[in-house]
Amino acid sequence: MPVHTTNYANTFIEVAADCPVAQAEEPPLRATPSVARIQFDMLIADPYRHTSDDVVYESNGRRRGLSRDEFFAKGQPCLRASALTKRYGWGVHSDAEGRIALVPAGSDRYRELAADPELQHVSAMRSSRG
């Protein structure tokens, strides 16, 4: 059974073109954390420790009681579809090993990565057609 991945290497996921914020915001705290909040907490606490697969599984698969193998037996949306990149203004940088870190829109680091010709550049998915 083939295993799918959401991992990128040497890639910068830029915020969606229709992201409603110019500067990154934290997802709100709730009694039951949202997917975006789980992802945010993992990545803010430990930049470049986790891969996209780690974060996507923890925020979606484990919550649903699935094993990692069960979860990745079929394709899963990558972080281009995350509310962090679509709604809350966070870019995601993947290093050569596929380890990721959040990068706040509006920051010097964001501008630096967005202009880096050595990285692959992809945009987060738009929230609306347009």
Side-chain angles (χ1 to χ4, degrees):
M1 172 165 51
V3 176
H4 298 271
T5 185
T6 65
N7 290 340
Y8 287 95
N10 292 319
T11 301
F12 186 53
I13 301 174
E14 299 175 14
V15 299
D18 63 349
C19 182
V21 298
Q23 301 229 331
E25 298 176 350
E26 285 190 25
L29 289 169
R30 297 191 179 128
T32 302
S34 66
V35 169
R37 187 67 206 201
I38 293 168
Q39 293 172 346
F40 176 83
D41 288 343
M42 284 181 75
L43 293 170
I44 283 297
D46 290 307
Y48 299 108
R49 177 172 177 224
H50 304 287
T51 65
S52 176
D53 281 356
D54 295 337
V55 174
V56 169
Y57 173 70
E58 289 297 324
S59 61
N60 291 292
R62 185 182 302 276
R63 289 168 55 122
R64 299 197 322 247
L66 299 173
S67 74
R68 199 172 168 112
D69 287 342
E70 288 173 314
F71 184 70
F72 285 111
K74 66 177 189 167
Q76 298 296 329
C78 71
L79 292 175
R80 291 182 56 225
S82 169
L84 291 176
T85 58
K86 292 172 59 172
R87 157 69 186 91
Y88 294 107
W90 294 91
V92 179
H93 176 238
S94 301
D95 68 13
E97 289 80 45
R99 306 291 175 185
I100 60 175
L102 290 178
V103 182
S107 69
D108 289 342
R109 179 74 174 142
Y110 185 95
R111 286 186 286 280
E112 177 185 306
L113 290 168
D116 187 341
E118 300 295 313
L119 294 174
Q120 176 184 353
H121 296 268
V122 294
S123 291
M125 295 176 174
R126 297 174 61 93
S127 293
S128 60
R129 293 182 176 179

